[in-house]
Amino acid sequence: MSGGYDRDFLRARLELPSPSATTVLLDYVHFSVRLRPARKLAAIVGVNISGSELNPLAREGTWHFDDRIPREQQAGPDVYKNNAFDRGHLVRRLDPVWGDAATAKKANQDTFAFTNAAPQVDDFNQGKELWVGLEDHVLDHADAHDAKLSVFTGPVFADDDSEYRGVKIPRKFWKIAAWTNDGNLGAAGFVLDQSPLLGKVELKKAITERLLEGEPPPLGPFRTFQVPIGQIADLTGLSLTRLSNADRLTSGQRELGKAPKAIQLESMEQVRL
């Protein structure tokens, strides 16, 4: 069975970005997690998706600790009991579920590791249709020959994130999808914010900061943005130069003589690829 994120999966080599803070690399079937023990959550996950080989297995899996890491370094079931938090998959459950039957089944179960989960308010996790459909949408526009994506996802860690049951709860999440067309790398970056919903779990203080500098406070329960990948680098501290250089949003805006800026998404048709 395949082990971990493959940097040579696309026709252009693409490394799994590494945070400056200490992380532990954990390989699973078709994806990898860089766990940040100090936060008990993944700092970044990377998955390879083979669109032509996807196996639409039923949602069957058992949430579990990864025995390679001490349990006290993982946000386990106690974080999610009797509250409004879901165990939000960072690597989307079906993304690594491809290949032969045994490989697909193992990949499906691997996505239920607590190292691949982050606390997401139930309305946020269950209702974000744009967010959960982004991989499918990008696959439809990726290289027709390869039908392959590499996707990176993670929370935005902030020092002033509110603590709940021993875990600081991220207010925002980001995603970058990458693909190749004729061997050339393309990429698109996205941010989604759950801070307007965090009052549901009675955190100690209200969240008032803005999603992006210069943007008004969110008006609904969450908003999805396509953002310049360089902005994700600023938010996370990750080195994303290669992905930023391949960013279809900023390249398209510069061609129009516009300064790169985020786009609030209300439909998939607005996504720039």
Side-chain angles (χ1 to χ4, degrees), residues 55-117:
N55 189 332
L57 294 180
R59 186 182 176 86
E60 295 179 357
T62 304
W63 285 100
H64 59 280
F65 288 102
D66 189 318
D67 291 337
R68 295 172 291 181
I69 298 294
R71 290 193 173 192
E72 59 269 21
Q73 295 179 3
Q74 304 174 57
D78 289 346
V79 178
Y80 304 96
K81 288 181 179 178
N82 303 317
N83 56 33
F85 278 136
D86 278 353
R87 292 162 291 200
H89 279 78
L90 293 174
V91 168
R92 194 176 63 158
R93 183 183 66 85
L94 288 177
D95 283 352
V97 181
W98 52 271
D100 61 64
T103 300
K105 183 177 180 179
K106 179 63 166 60
N108 180 75
Q109 176 59 14
D110 279 358
T111 68
F112 285 90
F114 283 118
T115 53
N116 184 44

Side-chain angles (χ1 to χ4, degrees), residues 1-272:
M1 293 186 182
S2 173
Y5 170 83
D6 180 3
R7 65 181 183 177
D8 293 314
F9 182 71
L10 303 177
R11 283 185 283 171
R13 175 170 287 187
L14 191 58
E15 302 285 351
L16 176 66
S18 179
S20 57
T22 300
T23 59
V24 177
L25 178 64
L26 300 167
D27 289 334
Y28 301 92
V29 176
H30 298 150
F31 72 96
S32 295
V33 169
R34 292 194 187 276
L35 182 76
R36 187 169 169 184
R39 290 292 299 251
K40 303 182 183 180
L41 299 170
I44 181 174
V45 300
V47 60
N48 304 125
I49 308 171
S50 181
S52 63
E53 300 179 82
L54 288 172
N55 189 332
L57 294 180
R59 186 182 176 86
E60 295 179 357
T62 304
W63 285 100
H64 59 280
F65 288 102
D66 189 318
D67 291 337
R68 295 172 291 181
I69 298 294
R71 290 193 173 192
E72 59 269 21
Q73 295 179 3
Q74 304 174 57
D78 289 346
V79 178
Y80 304 96
K81 288 181 179 178
N82 303 317
N83 56 33
F85 278 136
D86 278 353
R87 292 162 291 200
H89 279 78
L90 293 174
V91 168
R92 194 176 63 158
R93 183 183 66 85
L94 288 177
D95 283 352
V97 181
W98 52 271
D100 61 64
T103 300
K105 183 177 180 179
K106 179 63 166 60
N108 180 75
Q109 176 59 14
D110 279 358
T111 68
F112 285 90
F114 283 118
T115 53
N116 184 44
Q120 295 178 348
V121 179
D122 50 12
D123 287 349
F124 167 85
N125 187 39
Q126 295 166 6
K128 55 186 189 308
E129 294 180 7
L130 280 169
W131 190 249
V132 299
L134 282 170
E135 287 96 327
D136 290 337
H137 182 74
V138 178
L139 264 175
D140 289 341
H141 290 77
D143 188 325
H145 176 72
D146 285 345
K148 290 180 176 180
L149 291 180
S150 289
V151 177
F152 309 105
T153 307
V156 176
F157 291 137
D159 292 339
D160 63 347
D161 286 335
S162 293
E163 187 168 321
Y164 181 78
R165 298 183 181 178
V167 176
K168 286 190 172 183
I169 307 300
R171 288 167 277 185
K172 304 170 216 161
F173 293 84
W174 61 270
K175 185 188 301 288
I176 299 172
W179 64 94
T180 51
N181 280 321
D182 298 324
N184 297 314
L185 186 67
F190 307 89
V191 168
L192 198 147
D193 177 56
Q194 70 170 351
S195 36
L197 294 173
L198 288 176
K200 289 185 63 176
V201 290
E202 298 179 348
L203 295 179
K204 292 182 179 179
K205 62 180 180 178
I207 307 301
T208 58
E209 54 84 46
R210 296 177 177 183
L211 173 62
L212 299 169
E213 185 178 354
E215 292 287 345
L219 301 177
F222 58 83
R223 294 192 300 176
T224 305
F225 289 79
Q226 184 171 359
V227 303
I229 291 173
Q231 201 155 30
I232 296 176
D234 293 340
L235 285 170
T236 62
L238 290 166
S239 178
L240 302 174
T241 302
R242 186 132 190 268
L243 288 162
S244 183
N245 289 339
D247 190 348
R248 293 299 179 85
L249 174 66
T250 56
S251 63
Q253 289 177 338
R254 289 194 180 100
E255 287 175 4
L256 296 173
K258 299 179 179 179
K261 65 177 182 179
I263 298 174
Q264 183 178 344
L265 299 178
E266 296 179 356
S267 70
M268 288 296 182
E269 288 68 30
Q270 294 173 276
V271 175
R272 302 290 185 263

